[in-house]
């Protein structure tokens, strides 16, 4: 995760725009992962990643609506280049033939990462409204973790066998 | 020509779905290229993207630029021909460490000494990915692969030092640990008027080692700008480049502050000079027919 944000000077509009960009980035990465899984005939993991992309899109839309209610069409001053991998899983978290459990664990790790981002930013924030927003976002990450954990709990118990015993490495392309 | 207008990253994304292994670092490189091209703003039909053969060399197909997935090791000579035939094109060349520094290793020196305005992106994963994990020229000494079952006895090529020593005017390194940095580095390379080289540490998740994956790379990465490195200082760049394999310095190692005239511009000048004496097409054969 890397950012170039001056948290002390963050306005509420910038903070909302950043939050939208963070959700957008995560949505795109999950969509990418889902496409990779579909391409490699791993439909269960693909379905889960599409679900995550849908969640991120929904949350991003809610934040975007709030932003436009408060600030209308004012031009954003923050850009996508200022954030990286805040809530999006790392590029190499996807793996060939991922089981649903592995996919969910990758998503859980990202929610933990996003939570850590908001926690780390809080002490630097000066604006009370921005602080309240970051606290809300931090708590939402905990909620997301709970949701992913609930999905994990629904899975049948792990067979204890390794996928490596059953599948070849990906075919040379 | 070279119209510039508003383009977004998605305008450079083709409909072809990448078939790289899930998690392959090359997914991030193509994203970095989309963003860099959008920032440059040249329409896709003014961009020619040439590659060799390898997993990484599939990359032109995932863009909307004109593309040519050529022959193993031959991206650079073909890119050179395209640039000379149509200097108005923005020409990108790309490929793997094997493509660029093994079979194609002889070409890079000549593009550098000619200083052709091409941006060359090597996706360095220290392995032959496409052919299932053989030793590559950048594999570390001691590396065990299917072609080095007892560990490699060879020292790796240092791509950064290699191109700096040949006199490249722009030398940089990027990685998927910093996508925005990768995009801006590639953008800067494209904007450099002359031969520009970007080494991207792009992990192979299938045949790469743990330390070469994103978490391992993050642990050894350091931003050249944050270190206060002066990219106009070629000797300092060479000094830093020595640490290839131990440290991963990100950003611009060297940018020639006074870029010399490019070969394509010189060729154009020469053509203009000779144009007045040029024979019309239908009389060219006369040169070869004895009267
Ligand atoms: C003339 C020729 N020799 C050998 C090959 C086999 N071959 C295809 S790709 C490749 C190496 C690929 O490694 P690299 O260039 O590092 O690309 P990567 O797949 O790692 O991205 C080799 C040896 C070939 N296609 N053509
Ligand atoms: S073999 Fe390696 S380099 Fe090739 S697509 Fe798979 S992960 Fe990428
Ligand atoms: Mg390679």
């Amino acid at each position: 995760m890397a950012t170039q944000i001056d948290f002390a000077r963050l306005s509420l509009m910038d903070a909302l725009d950043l939050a939208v960009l963070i959700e957008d980035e995560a949505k795109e990465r999950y969509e990418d992962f889902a496409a990779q899984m579909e391409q490699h005939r791993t439909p269960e993991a693909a379905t889960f990643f599409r679900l995550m992309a849908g969640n991120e899109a929904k949350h991003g839309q809610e934040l975007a609506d709030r932003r436009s209610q408060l600030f209308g069409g004012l031009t954003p001053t923050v850009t996508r280049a200022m954030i990286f991998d805040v809530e999006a899983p790392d590029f190499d978290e996807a793996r060939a033939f991922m089981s649903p459990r592995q996919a969910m664990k990758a998503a859980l790790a990202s929610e933990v990462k996003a939570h850590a981002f908001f926690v780390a930013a809080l002490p630097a924030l000066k604006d009370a409204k921005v602080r309240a927003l970051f606290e809300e976002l931090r708590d939402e990450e905990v909620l997301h973790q709970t949701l992913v954990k609930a999905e994990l709990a629904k899975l049948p118990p792990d067979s204890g066998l390794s996928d490596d015993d059953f599948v070849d490495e990906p075919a040379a392309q | 020509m070279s119209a510039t207008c508003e383009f977004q990253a998605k305008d450079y994304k083709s409909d072809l779905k990448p078939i790289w292994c899930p998690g392959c670092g090359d997914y991030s490189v193509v994203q970095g290229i989309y963003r860099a091209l959008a920032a440059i703003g040249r329409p896709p039909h003014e961009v020619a993207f040439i590659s060799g053969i390898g997993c990484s060399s599939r990359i032109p197909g995932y863009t909307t630029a004109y593309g040519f997935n050529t022959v193993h090791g031959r991206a650079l000579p073909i890119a050179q021909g395209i640039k000379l035939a149509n200097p108005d094109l923005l020409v990108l060349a790309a490929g793997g460490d094997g493509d660029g520094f093994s079979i194609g290793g002889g070409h890079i020196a000549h593009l550098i000494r000619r200083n052709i305005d091409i941006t060359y992106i090597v996706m360095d994963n220290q392995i032959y990915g496409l052919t299932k994990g053989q030793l590559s020229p950048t594999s570390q000494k001691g590396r065990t692969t299917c072609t080095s079952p007892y560990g490699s006895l060879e020292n790796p090529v240092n791509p950064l030092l290699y191109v700096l020593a040949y006199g490249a005017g722009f030398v940089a390194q990027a990685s998927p640990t910093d996508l925005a940095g990768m995009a801006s580095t590639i953008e800067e390379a494209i904007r450099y008027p002359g031969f520009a080289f970007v080494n991207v540490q792009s992990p192979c998740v299938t045949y790469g080692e743990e330390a070469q994956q994103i978490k391992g790379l993050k642990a050894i990465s350091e931003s050249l700008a944050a270190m206060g490195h002066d990219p106009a200082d070629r000797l300092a760049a060479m000094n830093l480049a020595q640490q290839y394999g131990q440290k991963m310095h990100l950003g611009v190692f060297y940018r020639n502050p006074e870029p010399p005239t490019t070969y394509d511009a010189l060729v154009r000048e020469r053509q203009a000079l000779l144009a007045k004496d040029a024979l019309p097409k239908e009389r060219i054969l006369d040169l070869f027919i004895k009267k």
Side-chain angles (χ1 to χ4, degrees):
Chain A
M1 177 206 318
T3 61
Q4 308 165 1
I5 307 160
D6 184 355
F7 289 108
R9 298 168 53 129
L10 210 57
S11 69
L12 182 61
M13 184 180 91
D14 290 346
L16 279 164
D17 283 334
L18 274 180
V20 173
L21 289 172
I22 289 170
E23 299 294 335
D24 245 26
E25 186 191 42
K27 181 199 92 162
E28 276 177 25
R29 189 71 49 80
Y30 282 122
E31 278 172 349
D32 238 32
F33 278 15
Q36 293 177 27
M37 294 301 133
E38 279 151 8
Q39 194 71 20
H40 287 269
R41 298 171 188 82
T42 316
E44 298 85 356
T47 307
F48 173 72
F49 285 135
R50 289 245 176 261
L51 176 90
M52 289 303 293
N55 288 344
E56 304 294 352
K58 203 169 119 222
H59 195 206
Q61 193 54 54
E62 284 164 14
L63 288 160
D65 291 345
R66 262 164 80 181
R67 193 270 192 212
S68 64
Q69 269 167 22
L70 289 170
F71 303 103
L74 280 180
T75 313
T77 65
V78 292
T79 65
R80 180 75 172 262
M82 290 179 180
I83 56 134
F84 181 52
D85 278 4
V86 174
E87 196 168 348
D90 286 358
F91 276 101
D92 66 352
E93 285 288 335
R95 280 291 187 279
F97 315 118
M98 274 181 124
S99 65
R101 187 179 304 280
Q102 287 167 325
M104 288 175 195
K105 282 191 172 164
L108 186 58
S110 303
E111 300 296 345
V112 170
K113 187 169 71 165
H115 179 260
F117 168 80
F118 291 115
V119 169
L122 273 167
L125 298 174
K126 295 262 193 298
D127 184 307
K129 285 184 183 152
V130 175
R131 169 177 289 277
L133 175 69
F134 267 53
E135 281 168 352
E136 177 194 322
L137 295 168
R138 173 200 63 192
D139 295 344
E140 258 164 36
E141 297 309 335
V142 177
L143 186 71
H144 295 168
Q145 288 173 31
T146 318
L147 293 174
V148 179
K149 281 180 190 156
E151 290 292 321
L152 267 167
K154 282 188 218 157
L155 290 174
D158 205 348
S159 65
L161 296 169
S162 162
D163 283 349
D164 293 346
D165 300 331
F166 298 99
V167 293
D168 292 336
E169 60 205 3
Q173 307 290 355
Chain B
M1 209 171 39
S2 85
T4 51
C5 35
E6 288 284 301
F7 282 94
Q8 292 182 348
K10 65 176 172 41
D11 297 319
Y12 298 93
K13 185 175 179 185
S14 75
D15 292 337
L16 201 63
K17 290 233 164 31
I19 53 166
W20 290 312
C21 305
C24 176
D26 297 349
Y27 282 102
S28 72
V29 184
V30 74
Q31 298 281 348
I33 290 173
Y34 297 149
R35 289 194 193 186
L37 287 172
I40 300 278
R42 292 277 299 268
H45 71 269
E46 290 183 11
V47 181
F49 198 173
I50 321 303
S51 66
I53 294 289
C55 297
S56 42
S57 288
R58 295 187 156 268
I59 203 161
Y62 306 136
T63 74
T64 47
Y66 280 107
F68 192 177
N69 189 182
T70 68
V71 184
H72 192 36
R74 308 295 171 235
L76 287 180
I78 292 170
Q80 167 178 282
I82 290 170
K83 183 69 187 176
L84 292 182
N86 188 352
D88 289 326
L89 288 174
L90 187 170
V91 180
L92 299 177
D97 39 323
D99 200 77
F101 291 104
S102 241
I103 190 166
H107 296 301
I108 193 163
H110 304 291
L111 269 86
I112 291 173
R113 73 188 176 84
R114 287 181 194 128
N115 189 33
I116 298 180
D117 190 9
I118 286 173
T119 298
Y120 184 35
I121 300 165
V122 168
M123 282 157 268
D124 179 7
N125 56 10
Q126 291 103 34
I127 200 85
Y128 283 4
L130 185 83
T131 43
K132 290 182 151 280
Q134 297 81 8
L135 205 63
S136 98
T138 55
S139 300
Q140 289 299 304
K141 194 171 186 174
R143 175 82 194 268
T144 317
T145 69
C146 58
T147 46
S148 56
Y150 304 109
S152 160
L153 298 171
E154 301 161 17
N155 283 312
V157 165
N158 180 330
L160 300 163
L161 210 46
Y162 189 96
V163 297
L164 279 164
Y166 273 122
F170 185 98
V171 181
Q173 186 159 253
S175 103
T177 56
D178 176 8
L179 183 61
M182 188 198 301
S184 65
T185 301
I186 295 174
E187 179 192 339
E188 225 182 302
I190 296 173
R191 290 192 193 281
Y192 178 79
F195 185 83
F197 172 75
V198 184
N199 197 58
V200 184
Q201 295 282 343
S202 175
C204 170
V205 291
T206 302
Y207 303 107
E209 290 182 327
E210 204 49 44
Q212 296 163 329
Q213 306 306 318
I214 288 184
K215 283 185 186 61
L217 292 181
K218 275 184 184 164
I220 57 161
S221 78
E222 213 166 339
S223 148
L224 287 167
M227 287 166 69
H229 169 61
D230 171 11
D233 186 341
R234 184 155 169 256
L235 290 180
M238 291 179 103
N239 216 5
L240 286 162
Q242 310 251 20
Q243 294 174 39
Y244 171 83
Q246 276 98 53
K247 275 241 173 298
M248 187 178 65
H249 293 118
L250 298 176
V252 181
F253 278 81
Y254 180 62
R255 186 195 312 100
N256 187 339
E258 288 167 26
T261 312
T262 61
Y263 187 76
D264 26 302
L266 292 173
V267 167
R268 215 185 252 211
E269 252 173 48
R270 178 77 52 91
Q271 279 169 340
L273 209 64
L274 298 177
K276 59 178 174 25
D277 300 326
L279 287 175
K281 253 193 312 213
E282 55 280 9
R283 285 202 40 221
I284 283 180
L285 267 185
D286 293 356
L287 289 174
F288 305 95
I289 299 170
K290 280 204 180 119
K291 290 269 158 67

